[in-house]
Amino acid sequence: MRIVCIGGGPAGLYFALLMKKQNPAHHVTVVERNRPFDTFGWGVVFSDATMQSMRQWDPETAATIEDAFNHWDDIELVFKGRKIRTTGHGFVGIGRKKMLNILQERCLELGVELVFEREVQDDGEFPEADLIISSDGVNSRTRAKYAEIFKPDMLIRPNRFIWLGTEKRFDAFTFDFQRTEHGWFQSHIYRFDDKTSTFIVETTDEVFKAHGIDKMDQDQSIAFCEKLFADTLDGHSLMSNARHLRGSAWLNFGRLICEKWSHFNGNSHVVLMGDSAHTAHFAIGSGTKLAIDDAIELTNQFNRIGHGRENIAAVLEAYEEVRRIDVARIQNAARNAMEWFEVVGHRYADTLEPEQFMYSMLTRSQRISHENLRLRDPVWLEGYERWFAERAGAPASPNGHPVPPMFTPYSVRGLKLANRIVMSPMAMYSATDGVPDDFHLVHIGARAMGGAALVFPEMTCVSPDARITPGCLGLWNEEQKEAFRRMVAFVHEKTPAKIGIQLGHAGRKGATKVAWEGTDQPVEHGGWPLVSASAIPYLPHSVVPRAATREDMDRITADFVRAAKWSDEVGFDILELHCAHGYLLSAFLSPLTNTRDDEYGGSHENRARYPLEVFRAIRAVWPADKPISVRLSTNDWHEGGNTPEDAAVFAKMFKEAGADLIDCSAGQVVKDEHPVYGRMWQTPFSDKIRNEIQVPTIAVGAISEADHANSVIAAGRADLCAIARPHLADPAFVLHEAAKVGYAGQVWPKQYYQGRVQYETGLARAAAVAAAPPAGKA
Ligand SMILES: Cc1cc2nc3c(=O)[nH]c(=O)nc-3n(C[C@H](O)[C@H](O)[C@H](O)COP(=O)(O)OP(=O)(O)OC[C@H]3O[C@@H](n4cnc5c(N)ncnc54)[C@H](O)[C@@H]3O)c2cc1C
Ligand SMILES: Cc1cc2nc3c(=O)[nH]c(=O)nc-3n(C[C@H](O)[C@H](O)[C@H](O)COP(=O)(O)O)c2cc1C
């Protein structure tokens, strides 16, 4: 095959040498516009995993690169006059020039043809090539030429950064945050050879402009950074090697995703690789890793399918399929990390104390969890746990270890919770005429004995026509009230848990079948008229609701008030107003479901008017020492719907009206939604609302184990974690998670003592087996 790589960065060079090595008969050429020793940029970092695969594919290159590596373990934070350091993070850094020269030499050794100082204008310059690798970086000309086919989606991010170097040799990956009269600047600093460290300075566009950096030339902006980070630089200067860039040399990061990566141009197959196909923000330092991994995977597919030109189409298809998954995973983590640095000033730096700020920074991508931090630096993590627990008023646990974050107590108004875990409301569709029966008593009772500090029965509807299904719970008559009294009494008298009630009105999502007969499908018999913000049905064949009149609103408010009063009378400890998931109050909040032209539609203020009327009415009858939480859909996951920004506006309004907690759910407002699922997927919305609006929050959604909950609570992304489905699988979820993380202070029901002993012994045995050397090697 004849292969041409346009661009001699890490992607082009590494692919060229791998292919030549696999099959020396290939004719491989790399065409680079720069000279061999010309390159901008300073050092890049690699993970151990990338090195491991490089060792497998070409031990010679890996060995030379490893010789040139600088390895370091520590991360140091410089913040608010403090320096905090943790260890065990394992990075390697190498100068970009050095790495490219190693790759160039290896290419020559293997017989790759290297052409320098030739700027490729068009892939048509290589009509004889069977395969053209477009490894020409983020501003790829080839990608631009075939934009109609590759469909690149480039999102220019708001922050500004400049990539500098310094001769100060840092012995830790250092993050230095400095506040000016206009806001925060951060620097990302890491050493990559015996003399030099990379020094990236970043800030928001607002702060950048407020300081007039946009009008500075490179020397002025470097002088500005030297002054700002003078303490950390310790008399050293900053250097630029991007003299080719005009103006101040500050850049905006562009996040790139392409819909397609390859194309046949009539003569040759053209494929995007490295930064020309996708980018990952430098906050997780994975751009070079992605480029190298692309090169490895494409070579791997040629090995698997065959090195002949007749296989190229199949190889490219397989390459794209495999790489897309990994790239999406890295880009996802990079997005979290990038967003953290975009909002860090006002969201975290202004408010968090250095200890928690450090924790939040270390876990910014949500890839590094609490237990992962323990593996890296157990001493630092235990110190942080102790710091956190002391602040939460938790004495050390019986075995002397600090209480893990999720097991620390939490108080709001007069409510005192033993830990941070809430059993989230979950509709069971098992009531008759809204009355809780023995199923509900046992269901809730078992979970209250299972260790959650607070349990919520499912959404309880305030009138018969407020129900989602005929099987939903209600609180509009005495029979229901008495049945709830029995449930609440059981929880209070027989368990250490507290119990809350979630009051709601189904709105346009009412009169549907129970889940196992058809979620959201209208009931065939015995339905009732529906009311919503506007007369828009949920599904095309759903009952069309009536747009609520003033009379409807007054009646519904009165129903909420009655249910709230009775909830207090039967002893519920906290009330949650359900303003999420497209039910009535949520339908008022979302522009997708509220098209009213009166004072209840339009602006945020108008859309929130009725939900706030209901909130204020229940707050007025609900005792002052009992809290109220409000559940919001913090993202409609639909074009034109509410975004987390809108949710923050509503959260602020509810906070000002007296809400104590915002329970941050998302979606279910319209059927045609496009949620992005993943571990702890809704937690970023809770983080935003808690730290920007300064209101306590509950995070919910795929928080499935102690490790997740500990990370969320420790980082200050939420005050409480609501756990739903894991509680269906395991009523004793919290007891089991406590045992798994070795938290000795968890109280079990005294009747279950022997079960606890056996469970904990079983875990200890399994851990001992896992830690033992494999048979025959002892
Ligand atoms: C501030 C900053 C910090 C970074 N830090 C890290 C880090 O710590 N770790 C990490 O892994 N990554 C980091 N990266 C990302 C990393 O630099 C890139 O992801 C990586 O270099 C991508 O490799 P590539 O081969 O795809 O593209 P590039 O390295 O951009 O190489 C493209 C090559 O193509 C050449 N070229 C372009 N057009 C033409 C043409 N028409 N004709 C001929 N030649 C052409 C260019 O001169 C260049 O040599 C960082 C990026 C930035 C901006
Ligand atoms: C069977 C079931 C019923 C649910 N019913 C309700 C409900 O009545 N009220 C509510 O606010 N959320 C309800 N939810 C959503 C959960 O409270 C929770 O937000 C969601 O399941 C995500 O949490 P998880 O990933 O821990 O399951 C329900 C979820 C499930 C699985």
Side-chain angles (χ1 to χ4, degrees):
M1 278 192 298
R2 297 188 78 85
I3 302 170
V4 174
C5 301
I6 306 178
L13 291 170
Y14 198 57
F15 178 70
L17 74 84
L18 288 185
M19 282 300 279
K20 189 72 185 168
K21 182 177 172 173
Q22 297 302 311
N23 189 342
H26 292 325
H27 188 274
V28 188
T29 310
V30 178
V31 185
E32 165 59 48
R33 64 182 169 196
N34 291 331
R35 289 175 303 172
F37 290 90
D38 272 356
T39 181
F40 73 92
W42 299 95
V44 293
V45 290
F46 272 145
S47 68
D48 290 344
T50 306
M51 276 322 299
Q52 181 59 23
S53 41
M54 287 181 88
R55 262 179 237 120
Q56 274 172 17
W57 281 87
D58 187 42
E60 289 82 352
T61 318
T64 330
I65 288 183
E66 273 170 316
D67 278 350
F69 263 154
N70 269 274
H71 183 275
W72 72 98
D73 276 326
D74 292 4
I75 292 181
E76 182 167 280
L77 168 69
V78 181
F79 181 57
K80 294 186 179 168
R82 296 264 307 276
K83 283 187 179 170
I84 303 179
R85 192 179 267 242
T86 79
T87 194
H89 300 284
F91 296 99
V92 284
I94 184 168
R96 179 175 156 99
K97 270 188 196 178
K98 180 88 194 163
M99 186 181 68
L100 292 183
N101 293 154
I102 292 171
L103 297 179
Q104 288 159 2
E105 269 167 35
R106 182 71 179 139
C107 277
L108 291 175
E109 232 171 79
L110 289 164
V112 172
E113 185 192 359
L114 297 183
V115 178
F116 291 100
E117 298 181 69
R118 172 171 169 191
E119 172 121 21
V120 177
Q121 304 297 336
D122 194 294
D123 57 309
E125 292 170 30
F126 309 99
E128 72 292 352
D130 299 302
L131 176 63
I132 296 177
I133 307 293
S134 164
S135 48
D136 45 353
V138 67
N139 298 315
S140 167
R141 199 171 270 166
T142 323
R143 189 190 64 232
K145 176 178 170 190
Y146 298 115
E148 288 289 303
I149 290 149
F150 296 136
K151 295 201 170 61
D153 170 14
M154 176 73 89
L155 193 64
I156 300 300
R157 302 302 306 189
N159 267 14
R160 301 292 192 130
F161 69 92
I162 182 165
W163 202 357
L164 301 170
T166 174
E167 283 178 358
K168 173 166 172 178
R169 291 177 304 164
F170 287 83
D171 63 348
F173 198 131
T174 304
F175 293 95
D176 182 351
F177 290 79
Q178 292 296 332
R179 198 192 157 88
T180 69
E181 66 276 26
H182 298 300
W184 290 85
F185 282 82
Q186 58 262 13
S187 53
H188 312 235
I189 316 163
Y190 49 93
R191 182 171 142 191
F192 61 86
D193 66 21
D194 288 345
K195 321 195 278 300
T196 338
S197 303
T198 300
F199 202 109
I200 303 170
V201 182
E202 186 188 11
T203 189
T204 62
D205 192 50
E206 234 175 19
V207 176
F208 174 78
K209 288 190 178 132
H211 280 282
I213 305 175
D214 50 334
K215 301 195 179 66
M216 295 180 188
D217 63 22
Q218 270 197 55
D219 290 334
Q220 288 167 323
S221 80
I222 288 173
F224 175 90
C225 293
E226 281 170 348
K227 194 165 161 215
L228 186 61
F229 293 103
D231 283 351
T232 291
L233 281 167
D234 219 4
H236 290 83
S237 52
L238 289 172
M239 309 176 285
S240 165
N241 64 1
R243 294 285 168 196
H244 59 290
L245 298 176
R246 281 189 301 272
S248 63
W250 290 68
L251 304 169
N252 289 78
F253 173 76
R255 192 281 285 122
L256 171 71
I257 295 173
C258 289
E259 224 170 78
K260 209 172 165 333
W261 293 0
S262 63
H263 166 61
F264 186 68
N265 71 7
N267 291 317
S268 327
H269 290 273
V270 180
V271 60
L272 305 178
M273 186 180 281
D275 269 13
S276 92
H278 43 64
T279 54
H281 191 259
F282 55 85
I284 63 161
S286 291
T288 308
K289 168 198 157 60
L290 286 180
I292 296 284
D293 288 347
D294 282 356
I296 290 177
E297 187 54 42
L298 187 53
T299 313
N300 181 42
Q301 291 301 340
F302 274 112
N303 283 359
R304 204 176 64 81
I305 298 173
H307 274 254
R309 55 175 68 85
E310 66 286 1
N311 298 318
I312 298 178
V315 164
L316 294 182
E317 198 177 310
Y319 157 74
E320 190 171 327
E321 197 181 318
V322 174
R323 285 300 294 149
R324 266 192 187 286
I325 298 165
D326 193 40
V327 168
R329 202 172 47 77
I330 301 274
Q331 285 189 320
N332 201 19
R335 191 198 57 223
N336 290 340
M338 172 186 75
E339 285 176 358
W340 192 91
F341 283 108
E342 286 172 358
V343 299
V344 61
H346 68 283
R347 195 189 285 179
Y348 309 113
D350 279 341
T351 55
L352 299 184
E353 293 184 62
E355 285 79 359
Q356 192 164 36
F357 185 84
M358 177 70 156
Y359 188 101
S360 175
M361 185 181 81
L362 292 173
T363 56
R364 63 189 179 269
S365 72
Q366 290 209 163
R367 261 196 325 180
I368 295 176
S369 71
H370 195 73
E371 292 310 316
N372 202 269
L373 284 175
R374 198 186 308 283
L375 288 178
R376 291 167 185 236
D377 190 347
V379 175
W380 176 81
L381 188 75
E382 185 159 329
Y384 179 68
E385 286 187 329
R386 210 172 289 286
W387 178 91
F388 187 92
E390 273 164 15
R391 256 144 222 270
S397 84
N399 57 8
H401 290 298
V403 178
M406 78 176 250
F407 295 104
T408 58
Y410 183 74
S411 297
V412 48
R413 296 203 191 221
L415 176 67
K416 290 187 171 41
L417 300 176
N419 61 49
R420 306 300 185 101
I421 302 300
V422 176
M423 182 184 109
S424 200
M426 278 179 288
M428 293 288 105
Y429 313 108
S430 301
T432 309
D433 299 327
V435 184
D437 60 19
D438 286 355
F439 168 81
H440 301 91
L441 177 72
V442 173
H443 169 65
I444 294 299
R447 274 106 195 133
M449 289 193 291
L454 172 63
V455 291
F456 272 102
E458 66 209 69
M459 171 169 124
T460 299
C461 309
V462 294
S463 62
D465 63 349
R467 288 175 300 168
I468 312 165
T469 74
C472 287
L473 284 181
L475 184 49
W476 64 81
N477 67 32
E478 289 293 336
E479 191 186 356
Q480 295 155 346
K481 190 176 167 188
E482 288 318 304
F484 273 122
R485 197 189 292 282
R486 181 168 169 240
M487 181 195 289
V488 171
F490 175 85
V491 171
H492 284 165
E493 288 163 23
K494 306 287 183 192
T495 85
K498 306 290 180 192
I499 180 166
I501 186 158
Q502 184 190 53
L503 294 181
H505 187 300
R508 71 176 189 151
K509 291 174 87 176
T512 59
K513 295 179 180 174
V514 298
W516 42 89
E517 285 172 10
T519 304
D520 300 327
Q521 297 306 318
V523 287
E524 274 140 28
H525 310 287
W528 51 85
L530 302 184
V531 63
S532 187
S534 298
I536 310 169
Y538 183 62
L539 300 173
H541 58 281
S542 297
V543 175
V544 179
R546 167 175 89 245
T549 61
R550 186 63 251 177
E551 292 70 44
D552 288 324
M553 291 189 220
D554 289 342
R555 177 182 66 87
I556 293 167
T557 306
D559 291 340
F560 269 103
V561 167
R562 178 188 54 216
K565 276 190 193 154
W566 286 1
S567 299
D568 174 46
E569 283 170 28
V570 303
F572 280 107
D573 301 296
I574 175 173
L575 189 158
E576 177 161 285
L577 185 63
H578 202 333
C579 296
H581 303 169
Y583 298 123
L584 180 67
L585 300 180
S586 160
F588 270 90
L589 294 177
S590 173
L592 301 173
T593 45
N594 180 345
T595 54
R596 299 174 74 106
D597 55 12
D598 60 4
E599 70 270 38
Y600 294 98
S603 64
H604 287 112
E605 201 186 358
N606 282 0
R607 294 190 333 255
R609 194 180 302 280
Y610 183 59
L612 282 167
E613 275 178 23
V614 174
F615 178 85
R616 291 199 180 94
I618 57 170
R619 187 64 268 180
V621 298
W622 186 246
D625 66 333
K626 291 188 185 181
I628 303 189
S629 63
V630 173
R631 184 166 253 211
L632 293 179
S633 280
T634 52
N635 193 340
D636 286 351
W637 303 115
H638 190 285
E639 189 75 30
N642 281 331
T643 63
E645 289 299 326
D646 299 307
V649 173
F650 295 130
K652 185 159 185 282
M653 291 175 177
F654 279 108
K655 175 192 168 181
E656 283 162 4
D660 301 289
L661 288 151
I662 304 295
D663 186 350
C664 300
S665 188
Q668 300 176 50
V669 173
V670 289
K671 195 70 181 171
D672 177 23
E673 59 179 357
H674 304 283
V676 182
Y677 295 114
R679 280 181 311 162
M680 304 179 272
W681 60 302
Q682 296 169 157
T683 299
F685 312 137
S686 160
D687 184 356
K688 177 181 174 68
I689 288 175
R690 180 177 191 270
N691 293 304
E692 287 184 4
I693 308 300
Q694 297 293 309
V695 59
T697 58
I698 306 176
V700 65
I703 301 172
S704 321
E705 50 180 285
D707 195 21
H708 298 164
N710 277 328
S711 313
V712 172
I713 300 298
R717 299 196 168 98
D719 298 272
L720 297 171
C721 288
I723 313 272
R725 289 163 299 171
H727 266 119
L728 294 183
D730 180 3
F733 169 80
V734 175
L735 302 184
H736 290 151
E737 289 303 303
K740 286 183 206 160
V741 296
Y743 171 52
Q746 177 61 47
V747 178
W748 283 55
K750 58 182 182 288
Q751 301 88 337
Y752 296 177
Y753 174 73
Q754 298 199 28
R756 172 185 193 157
V757 172
Q758 190 196 36
Y759 189 78
E760 290 179 351
T761 311
L763 288 175
R765 244 185 237 131
V769 170
K777 293 215 174 149

